Amino acid sequence: MNLETSVREIQKGILQWYPFSEDVKCLYIGEETDAVYEMLTDPENDRIRGLFVRCIKPEELGDFAPQEEYDYIISIASLEKLENIADVLRVLAEKLAPKGHMLLGFNNRFGARYFFGDQDPYTGNIMDGIEDYRRAYSKSEDRFVGRCYDKASLVSMLTAAGLKQQNYSVFPDLSNMQVLIREDYKSNEDFSIRILPTFNNPSTVFLEEEYVYNSLQQNAMLHAMANAYVFDCTRRETEVDTSDILQVTSSMGRDREDAFFTMIRKRESSSHADEKRGEEETVMVEKLPAYAEGEKRIEKMLEIAEHLRSRGVPVIDMELQEKSLVMPYIDAPTAQAYLTKLLEEDENHFLEKMDEFIALVKRAGADCAGGESGEMPGYPDLVPLNCFYEQGHFLFFDQEFETTEYPQELAVYRAIYAMRTVIEKCDGTVTLPMLYQRYLGTDDVAKWQDLEWEFISKLRNEKAMAPYFSKVRHDFGKVYSNRQRMNFSAEEYMERFVNIFKGLEDKKVVVFGSGRFAKQFMQMYGGDYEVVAVVDNCVDVQGEDFYGVKISSPEILKQLEAGSYRVIICIKNFLSVKKQLEDMGVTDFGIFDPAQRYMRERFRRGKETALGSGLAESGTPIDKEAPKKYHVGYIAGVFDLFHVGHLEKFKLAKEQCDYLIVGLVTDEGVVRYKKTTPFVPFEERKTMLEACRYVDEVVKIPPNFGGTREAWKMYGFDVQFSGSDYEDDPGWLADKAFLEEHGSKMVFFPYSEATSSSKLKELINRKLL
């Protein structure tokens, strides 16, 4: 599927799960181009058969007076665009058949997303809905374009129209439903892991919504602050069977064979699986393929369950009923929730149970024959989120994958990494490196990080969906920046977060911290300034080498001459360190923000200034050329075995920009991301590029922070050049959109068919054989 089709499939998920009757009449309120309308009228959609659909635009409802009644009346957010919504609902209620259903989707003006900084979908401003639009539509000349309503107002209008309602809360969005919960049901899901929030404008968001869901549920606020609702309405005077569905979890963003709806249903059941448990369940779980292509997957799940049981790994009982997989509902916490609570209460007990869990995960991949290749299959989804802790035992569910592509150690790594949030929160003796060492025999997990991302990104279609996700998902760095701006005055924010390199010409740098933020700082900016010390309060890391500098205690600051240095705090939760420095009398410090755009001062002071002044670096005048299309250009690559194709790219780039920066991938980066070893070492490649007349500067690409966005933050280029072989790559298209949003460009050059480093390597290898 292409990107547009994939996005439309996700949008269909809001109602694709619904058990529609066959051979009935439906009125759809919206546009014929809507994804939901396409779903309702798709002849190949075997979930919906014989639905006779009429479409009417919202603005046409004023003149709508048909004589016929409809079995289904459907609207997803379109009624919000009408000012007289209460009157329209009364008219629609009259056109609903006696046993008909009206399925209405609405955005909630009190949705969590709006309290966390998201913009209103109609006005484009933050907080408008929360204020009930008192500023947005306060003047007579203001043009109404739509509005969100709160739950109480919606219930009141629906009741006044003579409709009974069964209300479902939607997360995170009507256009990207991932979880849907009936208002009278309390889920035991860990939503911080299950839901990936989406936003109208992620750039204004200042809080990570997913980490608030669980607290909202514990405090009975989840439904009131749901981002949207779906109301299943029936006529008040008639008795109509309501849906037995309590919760729906959707994975419509996956490929068709991997897309499912997992539904918790409350109904009588007498299945074989129930009998084995010795009781008749009133609540059961159904895993339903979203498409026909997924039917083979659920058959495979039954095979996987048997394979795991044969290895001593407990898996929930399941059976195939028609086209879905049915299993009993387990009223027990997930292993994720159970282990999280244990770690908060008793570290020793946590380690005992973690040992037990990991032993089961490892057992799944031990002593078993693989496929034709003879490799042992792995089960990468044996993670705490897909496991219950019931009556003192772990019980796995939702095991969809059995593959020789990933070793079983990947599941071990994923199980450990799933505990990262609570480990950071507890800040005790249990750490991620300790668990990695305990269960994987090493704390160097770069390999497993890459494999985990490969597995997850394939499953979620991250690469193909990158342009879409970049527009609707929050960027953690941006969220961090937005939040810090709220904690400081404008003047202090500029001083502490933005101008951290200002006035550093005659000062040295002390980096405070040795974690992820500090690594990013050192890789991106450490080479531009003299870092005389790295300090950290953690005694365990003191004395270790950190990018060529020994980590010391902050007490070393007392030995440095005041005014000769600046401390750059590279810690996410920096407030305690800020106070510590102030108590020590250190006032010259900045706070590194990974999402901030820090133009490299050395570059601005050096060659670019000389170029802009009309002087060569030697100070001699240079001939004035006609203005070029761009000022600063950037091109990145490995440039191994430098050849004419590379030269042509640099020539074309230099013809379009005044100053050309070449980002060069390190040897480490080539091994990690290209899965090969360069013929020519980094320093030699760098020397050759610097000798090229078209290249003004060669810079090392940080191994872990080498993407387009990080490069733009460092160099502030006006254009990035790339080969046309990436022109249709979704990841590059997402980066192209990012640059355009920030006033820069991405230009693709024709790919050189005649010569490439890969072809040269192949020829060399042949000669050597």
Side-chain angles (χ1 to χ4, degrees):
M1 289 187 289
N2 60 32
L3 177 63
E4 182 181 356
T5 301
S6 297
V7 172
R8 289 180 67 81
E9 293 304 306
I10 290 175
Q11 293 170 347
K12 293 175 185 178
I14 190 64
L15 286 180
Q16 176 84 351
W17 57 275
Y18 191 82
F20 287 98
S21 301
E22 296 185 9
D23 301 322
V24 292
K25 294 179 181 179
C26 172
L27 176 68
Y28 178 76
I29 302 166
E31 304 285 342
E32 290 187 356
T33 55
D34 291 349
V36 173
Y37 178 77
E38 180 183 295
M39 176 203 74
L40 294 170
T41 56
D42 183 0
E44 297 183 4
N45 187 347
D46 61 358
R47 292 276 302 140
I48 301 172
R49 296 184 183 277
L51 208 60
F52 303 95
V53 186
R54 174 182 177 181
C55 180
I56 183 170
K57 296 178 180 180
E59 61 269 23
E60 296 172 349
L61 285 171
D63 301 322
F64 179 64
Q67 300 302 313
E68 58 187 339
E69 294 180 331
Y70 293 91
D71 301 286
Y72 292 104
I73 297 177
I74 298 173
S75 166
I76 303 298
S78 56
L79 294 181
E80 297 174 345
K81 301 172 185 177
L82 304 174
E83 288 190 87
N84 59 334
I85 183 173
D87 296 334
V88 169
L89 286 172
R90 282 193 288 269
V91 172
L92 292 175
E94 293 174 0
K95 304 306 174 185
L96 187 64
K99 293 190 176 182
H101 289 259
M102 193 181 298
L103 302 174
L104 306 175
F106 293 99
N107 289 293
N108 178 18
R109 73 181 180 93
F110 287 142
R113 66 195 304 177
Y114 303 118
F115 286 91
F116 303 157
D118 196 15
Q119 293 181 355
D120 187 88
Y122 297 108
T123 68
N125 299 320
I126 64 170
M127 305 297 176
D128 272 354
I130 294 172
E131 289 188 317
D132 206 15
Y133 300 91
R134 69 183 185 88
R135 300 174 193 271
Y137 301 122
S138 58
K139 300 177 182 177
S140 57
E141 62 267 26
D142 289 338
R143 178 172 169 269
F144 182 85
V145 293
R147 58 158 293 162
C148 305
Y149 294 87
D150 56 81
K151 181 181 173 183
S153 297
L154 291 168
V155 169
S156 176
M157 288 188 288
L158 292 168
T159 302
L163 297 169
K164 296 183 293 187
Q165 316 100 37
Q166 190 172 77
N167 176 24
Y168 291 92
S169 297
V170 179
F171 303 92
D173 195 320
L174 287 170
S175 61
N176 186 2
M177 187 276 285
Q178 297 167 31
V179 175
L180 180 143
I181 313 171
R182 208 166 81 180
E183 65 178 339
D184 58 349
Y185 177 66
K186 183 177 180 181
S187 176
N188 63 0
E189 292 269 11
D190 182 349
F191 292 126
S192 66
I193 298 175
R194 184 65 73 184
I195 299 173
L196 295 172
T198 54
F199 300 92
N200 298 313
N201 187 349
S203 65
T204 59
V205 174
F206 55 81
L207 195 146
E208 294 163 284
E209 182 177 318
E210 60 267 43
Y211 296 114
V212 182
Y213 289 140
N214 291 340
S215 295
L216 291 177
Q217 177 156 256
Q218 291 163 7
N219 289 277
M221 299 169 64
L222 186 67
H223 292 287
M225 297 188 69
N227 288 329
Y229 301 113
V230 168
F231 288 91
D232 185 353
C233 305
T234 56
R235 289 171 60 161
R236 185 190 307 151
E237 71 276 10
T238 59
E239 289 297 324
V240 181
D241 291 337
T242 55
S243 173
D244 61 0
I245 297 173
L246 302 176
Q247 177 176 310
V248 181
T249 303
S250 169
S251 55
M252 286 288 282
R254 300 182 183 180
D255 289 335
R256 293 176 72 93
E257 64 269 20
D258 294 324
F260 293 96
F261 294 108
T262 302
M263 298 182 286
I264 300 175
R265 312 184 76 138
K266 189 174 184 180
R267 67 184 186 190
E268 294 297 324
S269 176
S270 57
S271 69
H272 177 63
D274 294 337
E275 292 171 4
K276 286 183 69 176
R277 292 177 58 84
E279 58 184 345
E280 187 172 359
E281 297 285 345
T282 57
V283 180
M284 46 82 72
V285 179
E286 178 183 1
K287 197 170 186 72
L288 178 71
Y291 307 99
E293 292 90 329
E295 292 171 16
K296 290 184 179 179
R297 175 69 75 185
I298 60 174
E299 293 175 4
K300 180 64 177 176
M301 287 180 65
L302 288 173
E303 291 181 22
I304 292 173
E306 286 304 315
H307 293 171
L308 289 171
R309 292 189 194 106
S310 70
R311 293 165 177 79
V313 179
V315 181
I316 194 170
D317 292 326
M318 299 177 290
E319 68 176 26
L320 196 60
Q321 291 186 5
E322 295 183 356
K323 296 181 179 181
S324 61
L325 202 60
V326 177
M327 62 204 81
Y329 174 80
I330 305 296
D331 189 12
T334 63
Q336 181 83 29
Y338 172 71
L339 291 170
T340 294
K341 187 176 181 181
L342 268 190
L343 183 56
E344 292 172 340
E345 297 174 350
D346 187 336
E347 288 188 345
N348 290 329
H349 195 190
F350 164 79
L351 288 173
E352 290 175 10
K353 286 298 180 181
M354 194 68 176
D355 287 347
E356 183 181 329
F357 184 88
I358 297 296
L360 289 173
V361 174
K362 290 183 175 181
R363 188 184 300 168
D367 300 323
C368 55
E372 294 179 4
S373 65
E375 297 178 8
M376 293 189 299
Y379 302 87
D381 242 6
L382 286 173
V383 292
L385 186 64
N386 291 339
C387 181
F388 293 113
Y389 188 75
E390 183 192 32
Q391 299 178 1
H393 300 283
F394 291 108
L395 180 64
F396 287 94
F397 64 93
D398 243 8
Q399 296 306 304
E400 300 177 25
F401 306 101
E402 180 182 58
T403 174
T404 57
E405 189 175 355
Y406 301 104
Q408 194 56 20
E409 287 87 349
L410 176 59
V412 175
Y413 168 78
R414 296 190 70 211
I416 299 168
Y417 189 65
M419 305 306 300
R420 68 192 182 281
T421 302
V422 67
I423 287 173
E424 292 172 359
K425 176 183 175 183
C426 292
D427 196 23
T429 59
V430 174
T431 64
L432 282 177
M434 175 196 130
L435 294 181
Y436 292 143
Q437 192 72 48
R438 186 181 183 102
Y439 301 122
L440 291 170
T442 178
D443 56 7
D444 183 6
V445 294
K447 169 186 175 182
W448 305 114
Q449 288 174 341
D450 291 345
L451 278 178
E452 207 254 354
W453 174 242
E454 180 184 304
F455 171 70
I456 290 295
S457 61
K458 282 183 179 178
L459 185 61
R460 294 177 181 166
N461 279 329
E462 291 284 343
K463 185 176 181 180
M465 299 293 292
Y468 167 70
F469 289 149
S470 66
K471 293 179 180 179
V472 298
R473 284 186 187 169
H474 59 51
D475 174 84
F476 294 104
K478 189 66 177 177
V479 170
Y480 176 84
S481 296
N482 291 342
R483 188 161 180 174
Q484 300 321 318
R485 283 206 301 272
M486 300 174 70
N487 285 329
F488 296 86
S489 66
E491 293 79 9
E492 189 176 9
Y493 178 77
M494 290 295 295
E495 177 187 358
R496 296 300 188 198
F497 289 89
V498 178
N499 298 325
I500 64 173
F501 296 133
K502 188 175 182 180
L504 268 184
E505 291 83 357
D506 302 316
K507 294 183 180 181
K508 298 178 175 61
V509 170
V510 175
V511 173
F512 203 124
S514 59
R516 182 166 58 90
F517 279 24
K519 291 175 182 176
Q520 182 168 350
F521 177 86
M522 292 295 281
Q523 287 190 32
M524 294 178 70
Y525 306 102
D528 294 349
Y529 302 94
E530 184 181 357
V531 179
V532 295
V534 175
V535 299
D536 199 300
N537 286 320
C538 179
V539 177
D540 293 340
V541 300
Q542 292 173 9
E544 293 182 4
D545 179 83
F546 192 76
Y547 296 90
V549 184
K550 186 178 75 172
I551 302 175
S552 305
S553 164
E555 292 297 310
I556 198 176
L557 296 177
K558 296 178 180 178
Q559 302 173 20
L560 301 178
E561 180 183 352
S564 68
Y565 68 93
R566 176 175 299 163
V567 177
I568 306 295
I569 302 174
C570 298
I571 296 173
K572 183 177 181 180
N573 300 313
F574 59 83
L575 290 176
S576 61
V577 171
K578 176 177 179 289
K579 186 176 187 307
Q580 178 183 353
L581 291 175
E582 291 170 343
D583 291 344
M584 293 174 68
V586 177
T587 58
D588 191 355
F589 62 85
I591 302 167
F592 175 59
D593 178 355
Q596 192 65 241
R597 180 187 177 188
Y598 296 114
M599 283 286 291
R600 293 167 68 245
E601 293 292 324
R602 184 180 66 183
F603 168 63
R604 288 216 302 246
R605 292 198 305 270
K607 294 185 178 181
E608 185 187 10
T609 303
L611 186 148
S613 67
L615 299 176
E617 288 186 78
S618 62
T620 58
I622 59 175
D623 294 333
K624 292 283 186 179
E625 297 181 2
K628 294 185 178 179
K629 188 172 184 179
Y630 305 105
H631 182 42
V632 179
Y634 177 77
I635 189 169
V638 177
F639 305 113
D640 197 14
L641 297 176
F642 189 73
H643 56 76
V644 69
H646 296 145
L647 190 65
E648 284 296 323
K649 278 185 183 178
F650 297 148
K651 183 174 182 292
L652 286 170
K654 184 62 177 174
E655 286 173 351
Q656 297 192 45
C657 67
D658 299 315
Y659 191 89
L660 180 62
I661 303 171
V662 176
L664 187 60
V665 180
T666 63
D667 297 342
E668 175 191 348
V670 177
V671 171
R672 182 169 184 182
Y673 298 110
K674 298 286 187 178
K675 309 300 181 187
T676 187
T677 303
F679 268 59
V680 182
F682 174 82
E683 290 300 334
E684 294 181 20
R685 287 185 282 128
K686 184 172 184 287
T687 300
M688 284 190 284
L689 292 179
E690 288 173 333
C692 178
R693 62 179 294 187
Y694 304 117
V695 176
D696 294 291
E697 184 176 5
V698 181
V699 296
K700 179 168 69 174
I701 295 179
N704 300 311
F705 308 98
T708 290
R709 303 174 194 217
E710 288 86 1
W712 179 82
K713 291 172 188 174
M714 287 191 286
Y715 309 118
F717 48 79
D718 306 294
V719 61
Q720 177 174 356
F721 302 104
S722 180
S724 59
D725 46 328
Y726 293 109
E727 195 165 8
D728 297 319
D729 183 280
W732 282 82
L733 291 176
D735 286 337
K736 181 176 183 287
F738 169 86
L739 292 178
E740 291 172 351
E741 288 171 10
H742 292 84
S744 187
K745 297 286 185 182
M746 183 174 285
V747 173
F748 294 99
F749 290 148
Y751 178 71
S752 174
E753 297 288 346
T755 308
S756 71
S757 295
S758 299
K759 291 178 181 178
L760 291 175
K761 288 179 183 180
E762 186 179 342
L763 288 171
I764 292 171
N765 285 326
R766 282 186 202 165
K767 295 285 186 181
L768 293 175
L769 290 174

